[in-house]
Amino acid sequence: MAVRRGKLSVVLLILQAIFVVIFAIWADYDTTAHIIKFNNVSKALNGKTGVLETYPLFQDVHVMIFIGFGFLMTFLKRYGFTSVGLNLLVAAFVLQWGTIFHGLLHLPKSHDGKFHLNVGGMLTADFAAATVLISFGAVLGKTSPLQIIIMSVIEVALFVVNEKIGLEIFRVVDVGESMFIHAFGAYFGLAVARVLYTDDIDRSKKEGSVYHSDLFSMIGTIFLWMYWPSFNGGAASGDYRHRAILNTYFSLAACTVVTFAISSLVDKKGKLDMVHIQNATLAGGVAVGTSADLMIQPWGAILIGCVAGCLSTVGYKYITPFLSSKLKIHDTCGVNNLHGMPGILAGLAGAVAAALAMEDNYGVPGLYNTFAARIPSDNVTAGDLGFEPGLGRSAITQGGFQIVALVVTIGIAIGGGLITGFILRLPFFDNPKGDGLFDDSDYWEIPDDGFPGVDIDTPKGKVYIPDHNADTRINLV
Amino acid sequence: MAVRRGKLSVVLLILQAIFVVIFAIWADYDTTAHIIKFNNVSKALNGKTGVLETYPLFQDVHVMIFIGFGFLMTFLKRYGFTSVGLNLLVAAFVLQWGTIFHGLLHLPKSHDGKFHLNVGGMLTADFAAATVLISFGAVLGKTSPLQIIIMSVIEVALFVVNEKIGLEIFRVVDVGESMFIHAFGAYFGLAVARVLYTDDIDRSKKEGSVYHSDLFSMIGTIFLWMYWPSFNGGAASGDYRHRAILNTYFSLAACTVVTFAISSLVDKKGKLDMVHIQNATLAGGVAVGTSADLMIQPWGAILIGCVAGCLSTVGYKYITPFLSSKLKIHDTCGVNNLHGMPGILAGLAGAVAAALAMEDNYGVPGLYNTFAARIPSDNVTAGDLGFEPGLGRSAITQGGFQIVALVVTIGIAIGGGLITGFILRLPFFDNPKGDGLFDDSDYWEIPDDGFPGVDIDTPKGKVYIPDHNADTRINLV
Amino acid sequence: MAVRRGKLSVVLLILQAIFVVIFAIWADYDTTAHIIKFNNVSKALNGKTGVLETYPLFQDVHVMIFIGFGFLMTFLKRYGFTSVGLNLLVAAFVLQWGTIFHGLLHLPKSHDGKFHLNVGGMLTADFAAATVLISFGAVLGKTSPLQIIIMSVIEVALFVVNEKIGLEIFRVVDVGESMFIHAFGAYFGLAVARVLYTDDIDRSKKEGSVYHSDLFSMIGTIFLWMYWPSFNGGAASGDYRHRAILNTYFSLAACTVVTFAISSLVDKKGKLDMVHIQNATLAGGVAVGTSADLMIQPWGAILIGCVAGCLSTVGYKYITPFLSSKLKIHDTCGVNNLHGMPGILAGLAGAVAAALAMEDNYGVPGLYNTFAARIPSDNVTAGDLGFEPGLGRSAITQGGFQIVALVVTIGIAIGGGLITGFILRLPFFDNPKGDGLFDDSDYWEIPDDGFPGVDIDTPKGKVYIPDHNADTRINLV
């Protein structure tokens, strides 16, 4: 242990110092947050600073990242400190690193050689954190803090690049980023998990929950569930945002009902499994994410939610054990079921919705505002419609590109995850093993159980027993 | 147990399938969420899509429903999974069913034969969920998941009908729906509880809390407490909303101070009772609900809060035990004290406030905007005031109708609850009994206590002892 | 114990009765919440009622006060009921008392002899609650509920007066009130703690956490962390608010990274300490509070966060033990590290930022809107700039006044705290001692551990052992 001391600290302090320098050179406030620039533009901007319109939804997403992901992962009985604590560190780290990498990548387009900060950018940075935290779920309990920081550095870069490819080259839609965040994060994490697999993992007796840790986990689940409409709608505005909120709300509701039904159905005694309720109930939020602002109709959203709940619950019951035992892909939080497969479903639903989008059901401005690549490519026709010329894609072509973006996303995720996994296996990064798996105590000072107790002799050796009524009973030392 | 398998699943899947069909036939996006219709109306609607104005308050209410009610009920030591898990299922179910029933009931007024979804409707659906969850509190630990789903189906229908009667026939005001939601939900649930009463309930040793379950419960309490101003003000706008928020905030603050005072006063040793703090502190939010947007003045709101805190605490101390032992009404969460009696108080306060509303203290437009039934009934007088003719009610008459609505609400709740109770007693619905009461383990896979342990011999037989330090001490298999 | 019965109750009921009377005489709704006044002003006010613009941020702060502070303090293993329960009482009490004292103090300026309630005032009242709850953290576990109520009465008055002196006499800026709330609350509480110090405190074995209580505490930490941008930006508007949000967001992120680095670095084995993560991660929010809306640049905010995280973690590791052992200042929650020293840092950063504020980097309107005391004092020059004449302060002078306000704040806090401490030592207020320290059981009915169990003989005497599997194993009694 003594060897480890300082390693994490030094890496964090160096990276943080670099962040300060980069912000000093290249970051500035956005116009609406800049005292001089703001005063030079119309005061009417006031109501449109993004704070009023976007900040409440940003805060909902913020809660999803820090409470949602953080507490969802506290289900492990001896790993709560790392789950919620390291979640905080990773997210705080990525908020900065994601802002920087996104900013620098888009610097060539900047009029003043700086990238500009506003509430919308805070939302984007939180999205980057979500991506890494999904991957974290796949390797939870099996990685050191240092490994997770290194993983964050690499994954954020690939996430930003992949998203840019999807949006700017393939010109696809993905309002809730179910492809770019959920599918990407899941398959990146699973690839890392595959490389880090050891037999120790299956032998560990510490992977599992206790009654209270499952309740802590439900805090995470429910905040994720409630605020998911803000996740899918936060980056949109007007009727797009309104529709994204409605579709996500109903998709989640339907997904939850189906999850309970299937969870009970696949159990021999008809009992519910808390793992399903904690996770599969959320799959509806993922699965509707790509098409949430499209004209999928309320029943379409509900149907997507139903399929997602079924798929995800079945995944936890049958696919996760299969992946672990046959493919040596151990998925601690089952991110394949909550983010991976529902992310693919989202991509497919988005492709179908895109292939069905016509002037009939979107109107002229609606269609071309939604799918800019479908604007006719010749100047005159586009001009008559009131738009700059686009790529003239057909509905089917747009649907095809949605699929291409999905496939490329998964490809980059798996490739990037495999490479990252091999890097993380370097001895320097202190991959935990044996008794250190699924256990906080290598990384945290753990309070003793809090109650004075005694050792007693049992047939199996000495056992330490806390005396829960100690203070009002006897005085043990 | 094996018999039960599939029953809940089949019912849920059938109902969910019906929901998809109904949404497909009759549901559509509201104008402000519809891409074509939205683009055909003024873009100025943008700021008024309801998303900007109502969504943040909707999300507060959403948290009350899922975290608030869900965790408030986790105080039972062995029933946390059902409390928070079934709360999620029921609410997700009612969000859809409430939307459907409300939509179908109002279909005759629709211009296009569809009901239209928007954020305001999401708030209404959440209100329906609140009603059912209040009733759930009365029967908590004494009902199967299947019973609760059936109860939801019936109760939501009655809730929507009763609300429609109150608003459209009696023309009453109830901005926070303390009569329509809280009093209705409480007395419906108590009537069900009366019918389901068995002697097993009083004999159960599992009804009760442990230290940590009481802390989980406080998560629910505090989120309910904080966001209650959004509950009472969410359906209003302009100065009505602002006033509802202010009155609720101060009523709750006063209620909390009085609850602590009375809780300590009624205990022989002057100690506080966590049950009172978890529940009675919230009674001020219920009690001010009907009159929250009326001109009750800040001191009026505070006075209502004081009375509510006192009434509710006394209820927990003296009335709940009396109802259980004498009337065989066993009220697990004490909903009579938190929702029932404070709901009646709210109705009475609303009646008094309505009877005192004059042009003096409301102004001409204010008075008739608030109480449309008080607009003079002859065309000329009404027209001079700038309104369509109303019913020409006097202040006293309006106050009387407020009472009538309260009485009818309680009547429908009790009648409906009794009938529902008898339906739920059908053997098909698997009413729990004996050891199955207040216990998750019939419905959930429960993790073992998480620590390896041993059996030891005691004077009273073998006792299983978890070894809290097992991993760092001895290796117990 | 019997003696105590009723004392707290009587004090609370009398104070609450006085509050009702004061509200009845002097409180009224603000124009935007008043039905007649609102209808007499332009309906255009609708969008500016403060509800739309401020309410979402108010609710974030509300969560910080009740969930944030309340759960942060539940880390003590046997003091969770008091932490979260008394936190609720104190805050509910101060919401009213803070509103009253602030209202009465500003009554001379009122046009109608009343103080007026609106959402902005609710935010101010919540700020007053924050101040008291910070002090509560210093004396947590060592005070009776009655003592805390008395402390609240005195502290709120001094807080409001000190803030008025700072804003109206010294004319300083402190948008997040890091001086007026955090430094004030911390040093007031520490002064009280010094006077209440007894040797029993160091001897108590009950001060400390258990695994689950540390997780409950993290609920508080994370909600404080997430919503801190709303705390620092809630009282501002336009670009000031936007900047305050951005600076706080990045300061906290950097602070968190540095806290993890230093926490690991100062531990012999390189382990993280949960106390640091629960608290020092938040110091960045405090430290950037005074200058959050100034043009400190993003890198400036990040640098402040880095320094704060380091300072606070080092404080927990080295300064808290020193204060306790050498100066007999026992600081239960370490408020000196989270609020005190970071509050001083905030004041200094604010002074530096003020001393660097020029027309160059703020623009003419920006500079004088921010620092009204810097507007030239002669009519003509001021008029040319479009302002009423000010005090004509230079940048350096403004910076000096910022320091003066900080020093005066700390002086009033310490003086007021010492006097309050001596008052609280009066026997009437039942200062806890010995076994009553850090223990809920004197003030709360505590549930037994919830599981039937048995006494067994051990070498150290009888020990009570809960049987965690009792119901499925043997039937004990």
Side-chain angles (χ1 to χ4, degrees), chain A residues 223-453:
Chain A
F223 273 104
L224 287 168
W225 198 96
M226 296 184 301
Y227 287 147
W228 213 294
S230 297
F231 195 99
N232 285 347
S237 64
D239 62 305
Y240 292 86
R241 174 183 282 184
H242 200 164
R243 210 156 47 240
I245 288 169
L246 284 163
N247 286 332
T248 307
Y249 176 84
F250 284 108
S251 175
L252 282 166
C255 177
T256 300
V257 172
V258 170
T259 296
F260 274 81
I262 305 294
S263 179
S264 168
L265 202 62
V266 296
D267 184 75
K268 274 178 293 187
K269 293 182 176 170
K271 291 189 183 184
L272 298 163
D273 187 328
M274 200 34 123
V275 172
H276 305 164
I277 307 312
Q278 283 159 354
N279 292 280
T281 52
L282 300 166
V286 177
V288 83
T290 302
S291 57
D293 63 340
L294 303 182
M295 287 298 287
I296 57 173
Q297 296 301 327
W299 70 268
I302 289 176
L303 197 62
I304 290 171
C306 291
V307 175
C310 183
L311 178 69
S312 185
T313 309
V314 167
Y316 277 100
K317 184 75 181 181
Y318 302 109
I319 300 177
T320 295
F322 171 83
L323 290 179
S324 183
S325 61
K326 303 295 176 193
L327 304 187
K328 301 193 173 183
I329 302 174
H330 180 276
D331 182 2
T332 312
C333 293
V335 300
N336 182 51
N337 313 304
L338 171 46
H339 304 278
M341 295 189 300
I344 293 175
L345 177 59
L348 298 177
V352 170
L356 296 174
M358 303 295 169
E359 290 189 2
D360 278 1
N361 51 354
Y362 282 70
V364 169
L367 184 64
Y368 301 118
N369 280 326
T370 310
F371 302 100
R374 293 196 53 193
I375 302 171
S377 55
D378 79 291
N379 281 355
V380 180
T381 323
D384 286 350
L385 296 166
F387 288 94
E388 297 291 306
L391 304 180
R393 278 188 196 160
S394 70
I396 296 293
T397 311
Q398 179 67 33
F401 272 99
Q402 297 283 139
I403 301 282
V404 170
L406 176 63
V407 170
V408 168
T409 293
I410 293 172
I412 293 180
I414 292 177
L418 291 174
I419 294 168
T420 305
F422 283 108
I423 294 172
L424 297 185
R425 277 174 63 179
L426 294 176
F428 179 81
F429 297 123
D430 298 321
N431 195 40
K433 53 188 77 153
D435 250 15
L437 292 163
F438 308 108
D439 195 328
D440 280 334
S441 59
D442 272 1
Y443 307 108
W444 296 85
E445 296 286 347
I446 305 292
D448 67 30
D449 216 57
F451 298 96

Side-chain angles (χ1 to χ4, degrees), chain B residues 254-266 306-307 309-310, chain C residues 6-21 89 93 146 149:
Chain B
C255 176
T256 300
V257 172
V258 170
T259 296
F260 274 80
I262 305 295
S263 179
S264 169
L265 202 63
V266 297
C306 292
V307 175
C310 183
Chain C
K7 224 189 269 184
L8 175 68
S9 304
V10 169
V11 170
L12 288 177
L13 291 174
I14 289 175
L15 289 169
Q16 186 60 52
I18 294 172
F19 290 175
V20 175
V21 174
L89 172 63
F93 178 83
L146 188 53
I149 292 296

Side-chain angles (χ1 to χ4, degrees), chain A residues 206 211 230 261 265 455 462, chain B residues 5 9 55 440 471 473-474:
Chain A
K206 295 175 187 171
Y211 198 72
S230 297
L265 202 62
D455 283 323
K462 275 203 183 310
Chain B
R5 187 185 177 189
S9 304
Y55 187 64
D440 281 333
D471 285 3
R473 293 287 194 118
I474 57 168

Side-chain angles (χ1 to χ4, degrees), chain A residues 12-31:
Chain A
L12 288 177
L13 291 175
I14 290 175
L15 289 170
Q16 185 61 51
I18 294 172
F19 291 175
V20 175
V21 173
I22 294 176
F23 271 89
I25 300 177
W26 286 296
D28 196 359
Y29 301 117
D30 177 59
T31 305

